[in-house]
Amino acid sequence: MTQQGYHVAIVGATGAVGEQLIDTLDRLNFPVASLLPLSSKRSAGKKIMFKGEEITVQEATAESFEGIQLALFSAGGSISQALAPEAVKRGAIVVDNTSAFRMDEDVPLVVPEVNEEDLKNHSGIIANPNCSTIQMVAALEPIKKAKGLKKIIVSTYQAVSGAGVKAIDEMYEQSQQIVEGKEINPQVLPVSGDKNHYQIAFNAIPQIDVFQENGYTFEELKMMNETKKIMHDNSLKVAATCVRLPVETGHSESVYIEVEQDGLDVPGIRQLLSEAPGITLQDDPSNQVYPLASAAKGKDDVFVGRIRQDLDEEKGFHLWIVADNLLKGAALNSVQIGFSLIKLGLLK
């Protein structure tokens, strides 16, 4: 690759999000002078395609980042903790998809449609928020700007792809086994490292990530804490319940909000969302038009519908928010951060 642009590394290039990162860089014509796909020693040597060119995946080491300007990480928190600082030492800006740095005070946690300006305060590492958080704050930001937000209660219906390729495989295998009347042996969900595993096929599991002492899962706390950080509002009341469903791709969320100021109604919310960047309004209940995970797969936007005023709380509203968790929830948001860094003159 000889065209002008930036020297970009992808850490975790052979994983589900890594593949989406490579595809998104290509599809959106991000200015790439050279692409360096990196992975574990086990996956090194594999080939990936980028701009019609075959590139060999290399093992990720500290020295891999010499000459790299932008490093997109999606290989697990321990890898990010070990290698992201090494990349920064060598002059790269890191956009990290794991939870390793999200709540660090000196690390911006960014959804470009919401808090792009926070990128100006980076010290080399920028965190990509949790997939469920991204789609929710992107949809709620136009409402917050117009009328303020004081409370959010969210229940998520999350796809198995959020737990990786093994979880997807387990869902399909269990479905086949159940249809054929065979015994199943769950190994992956809800959390591969936890003590119990449960059927995901034809089921709903009210656990994503491990439980904490307060009874919330780590996924729920991520949504609650990240939302406050991205929206710069520690007084915002946020509660989350996160559920895994047998859907391959596309997270869905039922979100209840209470706004601070009077004067908002359903048509007003529809107007705000119809004008918001990265949001597609699908809200025509009389014709059964509303967002579906199956329709959001492969799409860049966040889809919003089922907008209703609460029947008991004048400033309360309900929304249904859906997005492709591998795209807007991960790869796309990371690449958009890259574009924002260029726009703000921060990527040299």
Side-chain angles (χ1 to χ4, degrees):
M1 278 166 269
T2 57
Q3 72 265 35
Q4 288 187 327
Y6 300 91
H7 300 291
V8 180
I10 307 281
V11 183
T14 60
V17 175
E19 290 175 358
Q20 288 280 7
L21 281 166
I22 293 163
D23 177 68
T24 304
L25 288 169
D26 189 357
R27 182 170 56 85
L28 299 185
N29 290 314
F30 191 87
V32 177
S34 69
L35 183 73
L36 177 62
L38 300 169
S39 71
S40 65
K41 191 172 186 177
R42 187 181 70 250
S43 296
K46 289 183 179 178
K47 309 285 187 183
I48 61 109
M49 295 296 295
F50 183 71
K51 300 283 185 190
E53 186 178 327
E54 190 176 71
I55 308 172
T56 302
V57 178
Q58 299 180 28
E59 182 183 357
T61 66
E63 291 70 33
S64 302
F65 300 98
E66 296 290 349
I68 293 296
Q69 294 160 289
L70 179 65
L72 307 177
F73 274 67
S74 184
S78 59
I79 302 295
S80 293
Q81 287 171 332
L83 291 179
E86 296 295 333
V88 173
K89 274 185 205 172
R90 289 160 175 80
I93 295 178
V94 169
V95 179
D96 182 49
N97 262 286
T98 76
S99 61
F101 305 104
R102 287 178 187 155
M103 297 312 296
D104 286 12
E105 280 187 23
D106 60 345
V107 174
L109 183 66
V110 175
V111 178
E113 297 94 332
V114 179
N115 62 330
E116 182 181 69
E117 291 290 310
D118 288 1
L119 292 171
K120 293 177 179 177
N121 302 318
H122 83 82
S123 301
I125 298 175
I126 296 151
N128 203 54
N130 178 275
C131 46
S132 302
T133 307
I134 289 174
Q135 67 188 68
M136 183 175 76
V137 298
L140 296 185
E141 178 63 13
I143 300 168
K144 179 179 181 288
K145 270 185 182 172
K147 294 293 181 181
L149 274 180
K150 65 177 184 178
K151 180 185 280 189
I152 302 168
I153 300 173
V154 53
S155 296
T156 71
Y157 308 82
Q158 293 179 227
V160 293
S161 56
V165 174
K166 287 182 179 177
I168 297 172
D169 291 343
E170 181 171 74
M171 177 185 72
Y172 283 116
E173 286 168 12
Q174 288 179 3
S175 300
Q176 189 68 32
Q177 288 163 342
I178 290 168
V179 167
E180 293 174 357
K182 296 177 180 175
E183 191 174 328
I184 65 168
N185 183 26
Q187 298 287 318
V188 179
L189 292 169
V191 183
S192 58
D194 216 341
K195 48 190 174 292
N196 295 319
H197 299 105
Y198 299 116
Q199 169 186 331
I200 184 60
F202 310 104
N203 201 14
I205 303 177
Q207 179 189 356
I208 299 179
D209 218 317
V210 292
F211 282 100
Q212 308 299 296
E213 287 184 5
N214 61 7
Y216 287 84
T217 65
F218 189 44
E219 180 84 356
E220 290 160 353
L221 292 179
K222 281 188 282 190
M223 286 198 77
M224 292 152 69
N225 294 328
E226 291 175 21
T227 298
K228 293 179 182 185
K229 180 175 178 177
I230 294 165
M231 290 187 156
H232 300 159
D233 187 357
N234 284 327
S235 69
L236 182 62
K237 295 176 180 177
V238 189
T241 302
C242 295
V243 180
R244 187 77 71 192
L245 290 190
V247 172
E248 183 179 329
T249 302
H251 287 353
S252 304
E253 299 172 346
S254 172
V255 181
Y256 169 76
I257 60 169
E258 288 180 12
V259 296
E260 290 178 333
Q261 300 168 29
D262 293 325
L264 189 63
D265 56 13
V266 169
I269 292 178
R270 287 181 180 141
Q271 183 66 30
L272 290 168
L273 292 173
S274 68
E275 297 168 355
I279 303 295
T280 293
L281 185 67
Q282 293 182 327
D283 190 38
D284 183 4
S286 63
N287 289 304
Q288 291 178 270
V289 173
Y290 37 71
L292 294 169
S294 57
K297 184 177 179 180
K299 307 284 196 338
D300 288 345
D301 275 8
V302 174
F303 299 86
V304 187
R306 295 295 323 274
I307 302 168
R308 292 150 286 151
Q309 187 155 12
D310 190 79
L311 298 180
D312 297 308
E313 172 56 59
E314 189 180 342
K315 296 180 186 175
F317 298 89
H318 301 265
L319 305 92
W320 179 251
I321 301 170
V322 177
D324 185 321
N325 53 296
L326 300 179
L327 274 175
K328 185 54 184 169
L332 175 66
N333 200 72
S334 295
V335 174
Q336 286 177 316
I337 289 172
F339 277 114
S340 292
L341 289 168
I342 295 171
K343 172 182 155 187
L344 296 171
L346 299 172
L347 191 59
K348 309 298 184 190

